[in-house]
Amino acid sequence: MNPDICKERDSATFQTELLTNILDGGADKTARRREIELLVINDPDFQHEDLNFLSRSDRYDAAVKKSSMMIMKMRQHGISDPEEIMCYKSCVHRGRPEPLDLHLGMFLPTLLNQATAEQQDHFFMQAWNLEIIGTYAQTEMGHGTHIRGLETTATYDPSTQEFVLNSPTISSIKWWPGGLGKTSNHAIVLAQLYTQGQCRGLHPFIVPIRAMGTHEPLPGVVVGDIGPKFGFDEVDNGFLKLENVRIPRMNMLMKYSKVAPDGSYVKPPSDKLTYGTMVFIRSMIVGDSARSLSKACTIAIRYSVVRHQSELRQGEPEPQILDYQTQQYKLLPLLATAYAFHCVGQYMTQTYHRITGDISQGDFSQLPELHALSAGLKAFTTWIATAGIEMCRMACGGHGYSRCSGLPDIYVTFTPTCTYEGENTVMMLQTARYLVKCYTQASEGLQVGGTVSYLNEMSQGRLQPQPVSARPTVVDINDLSCLVEAYKQRASRLVELAARSLQGEIQRSKSKEEAWNNTSIDLVRASDAHCHYVVVKLFSAKLSEVGDTAVHSVLSTLALLYALHGISQHTGDFLQAGLLSGPQIYQVSQRLKELLSQLRPNAVALVDAFDYRDEMLNSVLGRYDGNVYENMFEWARQSPLNRTQVHNSFHKYLKPLQSKL
Amino acid sequence: MNPDICKERDSATFQTELLTNILDGGADKTARRREIELLVINDPDFQHEDLNFLSRSDRYDAAVKKSSMMIMKMRQHGISDPEEIMCYKSCVHRGRPEPLDLHLGMFLPTLLNQATAEQQDHFFMQAWNLEIIGTYAQTEMGHGTHIRGLETTATYDPSTQEFVLNSPTISSIKWWPGGLGKTSNHAIVLAQLYTQGQCRGLHPFIVPIRAMGTHEPLPGVVVGDIGPKFGFDEVDNGFLKLENVRIPRMNMLMKYSKVAPDGSYVKPPSDKLTYGTMVFIRSMIVGDSARSLSKACTIAIRYSVVRHQSELRQGEPEPQILDYQTQQYKLLPLLATAYAFHCVGQYMTQTYHRITGDISQGDFSQLPELHALSAGLKAFTTWIATAGIEMCRMACGGHGYSRCSGLPDIYVTFTPTCTYEGENTVMMLQTARYLVKCYTQASEGLQVGGTVSYLNEMSQGRLQPQPVSARPTVVDINDLSCLVEAYKQRASRLVELAARSLQGEIQRSKSKEEAWNNTSIDLVRASDAHCHYVVVKLFSAKLSEVGDTAVHSVLSTLALLYALHGISQHTGDFLQAGLLSGPQIYQVSQRLKELLSQLRPNAVALVDAFDYRDEMLNSVLGRYDGNVYENMFEWARQSPLNRTQVHNSFHKYLKPLQSKL
């Protein structure tokens, strides 16, 4: 064990285990998680090789091998709870995506939710036993977040009682679905349904794409891998071009919509029925933001206490780089952000489960807010975590660029969350649509509830356009509840500004859509401020659940740091709203420095509390024992380029060149 | 040609060629650049294969092949001007780094600058003819930017007239030098010189590391590749561990410092003599920021006019995504930034050449400012360009993640500039040190010159602490010179704040170093504001050189956008300094929207003017002809995973699994 990192742990003011339990949601959950992790780590069948040293084809091969093993073992161990499946899976693949993700996460659930009983009888067991390996093919080359634009067609032919599937254009080729390229033999294809000469909109169809047994593509099916990406090397994201592919009528998932044998069409009873999955996945992504940023912080902070550089005092040994204020300023606000996002992730999961209960009782009333909130928070947290991971990487100096740091992989694995399951800017605008709607309702005197209830207050004591200096300044920058209030006022003001700006545009523009577009910068800003308020509020609320004094104290400091750092990044908003004065902004920056010093001794304990095993971090820089340099040397020596002392290219090119010059 | 992109070009209000000439520095330079590019592109020996489809070893192999060819061909074509070499090289390797970069860019120049005439006689021709292939080994595993901390030792042994080189610890292993792992047979090793029992500090030594002819590592030399990285796949960044390696006395580069046969040491006449290279490279990196961001903007903007998505008006066809205000808000300020950085890059090159003239006359007076400016601007531009490239990538939706977009490669190739040649935060602090020094001089009544001359004004009409609302607001947000003034005032205020904060800390802290550390957040902020001012000023100054009215008009709009966007990102600073009022900040945001609409029709022409050939962009999304989707499909089909219809892993793992479940 590196002595520097030992000292850090000795100086912590709280018990990390207690904090770990809070993050896991209870000591029993921590224990069970560790148990599952050990099941994988101690399993000789899951010996891990360093993927960085393999070609893409070999990485895919290794992943399929592990995934196959994983399915068997999970069934042997009787792991069936979704959370436990996630934990086991994540441990097997060390946090990376894998080729069966969509089979397990989309194909099977969609069958369960959208197939009739008869269809389930037919398909489910085959899919459960992996005779059918499926994916979910929605996105097309030319169509992503705006799903109404999808072009793939499924035309019903009553004469044979079949659907005929086609990709009418290049841009309609299905593109990106995970596991589609090489792994799957079936796909749930989202296509525009045509029957009796009418387009009935998007529907899901089960389409066989490769032959059972031989796995060769079926006639009319052009399928393959979409090529190398920024990360996701283990996954065969694929393309699928359908040329007059015929499937039986019963391959349309008909739990809600139906096509009768004669081609007549029955509409679904509600268009909100498939809403839930989307909301669920976006809520999950908020948790991913927390986890990915936590991993990056763990690596960067541990390395920053092991790494010595430059001098603070002449003649004295080089200090740990975490003793530099600039390094603390990079990393500790991110650490606070990671904790904030954990609170938000837990809240989203709880809220989702609560509302799912309501929905199953036929009560959809909470869904719009959850939908808006999950969209906005997905965007808010993924953007910040993405930038934060890179900040962590660059805070590790040159070694952050080495694959052995683990940071490039965390980045490329995480950054797609900004785009998939709804492009972030579009998500922010969805939230804005909800905010503007609630603003309008509130200003008409209707009560709005949930996280937007502040819009009610506003409609009462409406912010008047008045000079900044004339407004009372009431914020105590050391009082978290005051800061929550300040974030609320800021959100309130920016929602109002955006809504008014929109009203102004509506009077000027040709259409509502144009007015919306002309206001969209303001609308995104309003959503962002709303989400920021929600995060500060939830982090602050979490503190009341913490019993242990020492843990409460350090979490309070983190929450204060999070709130004040956010203000320091958006001083203009708080000044303009008259919420803080110029001198107070200066106090904020001074207070921030104090909080950094205050948190510094707990930095390692705070990342230890995330409790990532070395096997899950995959980082030489982030090793628990801090023995970085010897292990980096060891790792480098295994690099494929070192298999021979002299690379072939010397004999092929350099030596002949020498004789020619 | 895609009709959408044609329309864009037809609607441009200026001739792109004129702007290209400005960027190149004259029509003759444009012509010569294109001539060189064609030399490479039309050369059948430089047929390019897609590196994304190769293993790392094959990528390295392909790069060595090209580099060898390149050396031969450049000599055949008589290309010897440094700028032309850069152009040819960059075209051969399509903008990527290559294994001989350090031989050409560091080893040869260091020989020329720091070897004695006798040493040049001995080494230079061998190196020129690539019998000696060299690299520059400075960075160690545990020591980067703070070079005084380097641990490698070179101990003079007068009995044999040799130096004995050693890597005394793991952390002293040379780590990162490009071309060190497999390519080089010599390295200029920076080591602490010990002679007559005294340490004389860092000196450069020519160390043979591999045998001529066989290329096998020499006795006592442990050398190899440091393993896969985030990008730089073609380069064998290497490690080097030296165990009692003996080299003759004449292998120490002795133009300035000397060790006599008896071991007595002669100091260099000035410690600024090796300063120049560092300043030169940092200045070059500013230009790299401009180029890399320009490439990313070219790809994202072209794709944004080809890509249609969602709907702006019901029932109408999907609009081009560049018609969305949020998309314009992402990309057009970055486009303006790319132009701004081009101006800064040109200025830095000119200034470097001007000052080099002075230096060769023995006049070092301008060097400190250039040194400070190059450090700060290197950090300022690389941070912004790095984030900007990712912004461009994410503005391309899912396809930005595909390697065929070219954007991941631009990012991973560019982002190391934030760390190499001086870690950015350290660079900002170097600039801050200069600013504080000048502030102190100015406040003592001494005149300071160059870009910091505003500190003189400040010391006269010192900003008094007074309420924000009491200060006069004089900025006309449509007048660029007013905005330059506002940026200047902001910089002035932040330098003053930082300097005062430092003075306060010095009174409180144990040492100057500690005070400096406790102020470093403020110091970085001051440097950042100073650099921002310089960039706005240089962009604005460039306009006066532009004769053509149409080009002048569009560049002026870009410069205004750049300046106002920067204000909108730092409203707090401008409000607090009393430079802008709340209502003016609102006007800025409205004006920004107008500027986006105004620039929208010229967006494609403005990226066309960067004049990147498709071969240099390497991007399906950024193709000049806009034919994105058919080419993306074509590219994907060549992916190695598509070489067989059925991947082996099916037979090895999935099929057996099916029978077991």
Side-chain angles (χ1 to χ4, degrees), chain B residues 51-100:
Chain B
L51 296 169
N52 291 302
F53 298 150
L54 303 181
S55 73
R56 185 167 170 237
S57 180
D58 289 342
R59 289 170 81 143
Y60 170 70
D61 192 277
V64 174
K65 181 178 177 185
K66 278 188 176 178
S67 295
S68 308
M69 197 78 77
M70 172 184 88
I71 302 272
M72 292 246 302
K73 300 258 175 173
M74 279 201 291
R75 294 184 187 173
Q76 284 166 10
H77 296 307
I79 292 172
S80 61
D81 172 79
E83 232 173 274
E84 296 195 349
I85 290 178
M86 201 85 85
C87 175
Y88 191 91
K89 223 166 84 70
S90 155
C91 201
V92 168
H93 288 281
R94 309 291 167 94
R96 293 171 195 264
E98 50 102 0
L100 293 181

Side-chain angles (χ1 to χ4, degrees), chain B residues 589-613:
Chain B
S589 66
Q590 293 305 105
R591 189 77 183 98
L592 270 177
K593 292 183 197 174
E594 290 167 19
L595 293 174
L596 295 179
S597 304
Q598 210 171 313
L599 282 167
R600 163 70 187 85
N602 276 322
V604 167
L606 281 166
V607 298
D608 283 352
F610 294 135
D611 200 29
Y612 288 112
R613 301 181 57 97

Side-chain angles (χ1 to χ4, degrees), chain A residues 47 52 70 253 281 341 345 361 366 381 389 404 480 525:
Chain A
Q47 287 218 350
N52 290 303
M70 172 184 88
L253 292 178
I281 294 178
F341 289 0
Q361 310 286 317
Q366 305 280 308
T381 60
I389 294 165
C404 78
L480 197 52
R525 217 174 134 211

Side-chain angles (χ1 to χ4, degrees), chain A residues 112-246:
Chain A
L112 283 173
N113 296 329
Q114 298 192 44
T116 62
E118 188 197 3
Q119 288 176 321
Q120 297 208 18
D121 282 349
H122 185 78
F123 290 111
F124 192 79
M125 280 315 294
Q126 290 184 78
W128 182 249
N129 292 334
L130 272 91
E131 288 161 69
I132 288 178
I133 305 170
T135 181
Y136 189 85
Q138 178 174 301
T139 302
E140 296 174 358
M141 199 193 260
H143 310 277
T145 300
H146 179 66
I147 59 170
R148 267 177 298 160
L150 294 172
E151 293 179 82
T152 305
T153 57
T155 309
Y156 185 64
D157 177 355
S159 71
T160 59
Q161 298 200 16
E162 289 172 320
F163 293 100
V164 189
L165 280 104
N166 269 301
S167 310
T169 58
I170 295 265
S171 57
S172 77
I173 297 172
K174 293 292 176 186
W175 206 266
W176 280 108
L180 172 60
K182 310 306 281 187
T183 313
S184 301
N185 56 23
H186 281 67
I188 291 176
V189 171
L190 275 282
Q192 303 288 354
L193 166 63
Y194 284 85
T195 181
Q196 298 182 328
Q198 265 193 294
C199 179
R200 296 297 192 162
L202 274 191
H203 288 76
F205 301 85
I206 298 187
V207 182
I209 55 175
R210 289 177 179 270
M212 309 292 249
T214 67
H215 211 61
E216 290 286 341
L218 292 169
V221 170
V222 184
V223 65
D225 175 81
I226 62 163
K229 296 142 296 186
F230 201 31
F232 278 58
D233 286 306
E234 292 71 33
V235 180
D236 53 322
N237 299 80
F239 61 76
L240 176 65
K241 189 165 180 284
L242 298 166
E243 297 165 348
N244 287 313
V245 172
R246 288 181 165 261

Side-chain angles (χ1 to χ4, degrees), chain A residues 248-268:
Chain A
R249 188 180 64 91
M250 79 163 303
N251 280 29
M252 172 174 148
L253 292 178
M254 294 216 210
K255 182 156 168 194
Y256 301 122
S257 318
K258 295 180 184 24
V259 171
D262 68 348
S264 56
Y265 175 75
V266 181
K267 275 205 297 197

Side-chain angles (χ1 to χ4, degrees), chain B residues 394-642:
Chain B
M394 293 206 242
C396 293
H399 299 322
Y401 296 85
S402 171
R403 292 272 171 185
C404 78
S405 72
L407 290 162
D409 283 322
I410 294 173
Y411 184 64
V412 297
T413 304
F414 181 73
T415 172
T417 57
C418 294
T419 306
Y420 64 50
E421 300 298 332
E423 196 278 327
N424 274 359
T425 302
V426 178
M427 292 300 95
M428 281 298 195
L429 287 169
Q430 282 190 8
T431 303
R433 202 172 285 280
Y434 180 74
L435 293 173
V436 169
K437 203 177 109 195
C438 291
Y439 169 84
T440 311
Q441 289 177 347
S443 54
E444 285 164 359
L446 295 168
Q447 282 284 314
V448 294
T451 59
V452 294
S453 55
Y454 61 85
L455 296 172
N456 298 322
E457 300 166 32
M458 188 191 56
S459 74
Q460 287 144 26
R462 184 70 57 83
L463 289 170
Q464 296 301 322
Q466 52 179 321
V468 169
S469 52
R471 283 192 216 133
T473 297
V474 291
V475 177
D476 173 355
I477 65 158
N478 287 305
D479 180 340
L480 198 51
S481 61
C482 267
L483 297 176
V484 174
E485 183 64 26
Y487 274 94
K488 188 168 88 179
Q489 296 291 340
R490 169 186 175 235
S492 176
R493 180 174 169 274
L494 290 176
V495 171
E496 182 168 35
L497 275 180
R500 286 191 183 175
S501 175
L502 179 63
Q503 281 160 5
E505 277 296 334
I506 287 173
Q507 283 153 19
R508 268 192 297 277
S509 298
K510 288 183 208 139
S511 69
K512 270 193 181 181
E513 289 79 7
E514 214 160 305
W516 181 262
N517 186 33
N518 291 342
T519 324
S520 53
I521 296 172
D522 307 317
L523 290 163
V524 170
R525 215 171 137 214
S527 285
D528 186 81
H530 174 72
C531 293
H532 209 151
Y533 154 64
V534 171
V535 175
V536 174
K537 186 178 133 105
L538 291 175
F539 197 177
S540 167
K542 185 76 188 178
L543 298 175
S544 66
E545 296 172 25
V546 180
D548 183 81
T549 321
V551 172
H552 189 276
S553 164
V554 73
L555 277 183
S556 302
T557 310
L558 276 175
L560 196 56
L561 176 66
Y562 180 75
L564 291 180
H565 184 259
I567 290 176
S568 78
Q569 303 299 102
H570 301 91
T571 50
D573 289 353
F574 290 89
L575 282 167
Q576 272 194 284
L579 295 163
L580 289 169
S581 65
Q584 276 186 312
I585 296 290
Y586 179 74
Q587 283 166 28
V588 167
S589 66
Q590 293 305 105
R591 189 77 183 98
L592 270 177
K593 292 183 197 174
E594 290 167 19
L595 293 174
L596 295 179
S597 304
Q598 210 171 313
L599 282 167
R600 163 70 187 85
N602 276 322
V604 167
L606 281 166
V607 298
D608 283 352
F610 294 135
D611 200 29
Y612 288 112
R613 301 181 57 97
D614 280 347
E615 292 89 348
M616 294 300 291
L617 278 183
N618 271 309
S619 169
V620 170
L621 299 187
R623 291 172 65 93
Y624 185 81
D625 67 10
N627 294 328
V628 168
Y629 293 130
E630 46 278 54
N631 284 289
M632 196 182 308
F633 191 35
E634 208 37 65
W635 181 85
R637 299 189 86 157
Q638 291 160 30
S639 167
L641 279 194
N642 295 328

Side-chain angles (χ1 to χ4, degrees), chain B residues 71-230:
Chain B
I71 302 272
M72 292 246 302
K73 300 258 175 173
M74 279 201 291
R75 294 184 187 173
Q76 284 166 10
H77 296 307
I79 292 172
S80 61
D81 172 79
E83 232 173 274
E84 296 195 349
I85 290 178
M86 201 85 85
C87 175
Y88 191 91
K89 223 166 84 70
S90 155
C91 201
V92 168
H93 288 281
R94 309 291 167 94
R96 293 171 195 264
E98 50 102 0
L100 293 181
D101 273 344
L102 269 84
H103 178 78
L104 300 170
M106 289 296 291
F107 191 84
L108 288 177
T110 305
L111 273 186
L112 284 173
N113 296 331
Q114 299 192 43
T116 62
E118 188 196 3
Q119 288 177 320
Q120 296 209 16
D121 280 350
H122 185 77
F123 292 110
F124 192 80
M125 278 317 292
Q126 291 184 79
W128 181 250
N129 292 334
L130 271 90
E131 287 161 69
I132 289 179
I133 306 170
T135 181
Y136 190 86
Q138 177 174 302
T139 302
E140 296 174 356
M141 200 193 259
H143 310 276
T145 301
H146 179 67
I147 59 171
R148 268 178 297 160
L150 294 172
E151 294 178 83
T152 304
T153 57
T155 310
Y156 185 64
D157 176 357
S159 71
T160 59
Q161 298 200 16
E162 287 172 319
F163 292 101
V164 189
L165 280 104
N166 269 301
S167 311
T169 59
I170 296 267
S171 58
S172 77
I173 297 173
K174 293 291 178 187
W175 206 265
W176 279 109
L180 172 60
K182 311 306 280 186
T183 314
S184 300
N185 55 24
H186 281 67
I188 291 177
V189 171
L190 276 282
Q192 304 288 355
L193 165 65
Y194 284 86
T195 181
Q196 298 183 328
Q198 264 195 294
C199 179
R200 296 298 191 162
L202 274 190
H203 289 77
F205 301 85
I206 297 187
V207 182
I209 55 175
R210 290 177 178 269
M212 309 291 249
T214 69
H215 211 61
E216 290 287 342
L218 292 169
V221 170
V222 184
V223 65
D225 174 80
I226 62 163
K229 296 141 297 185
F230 202 32

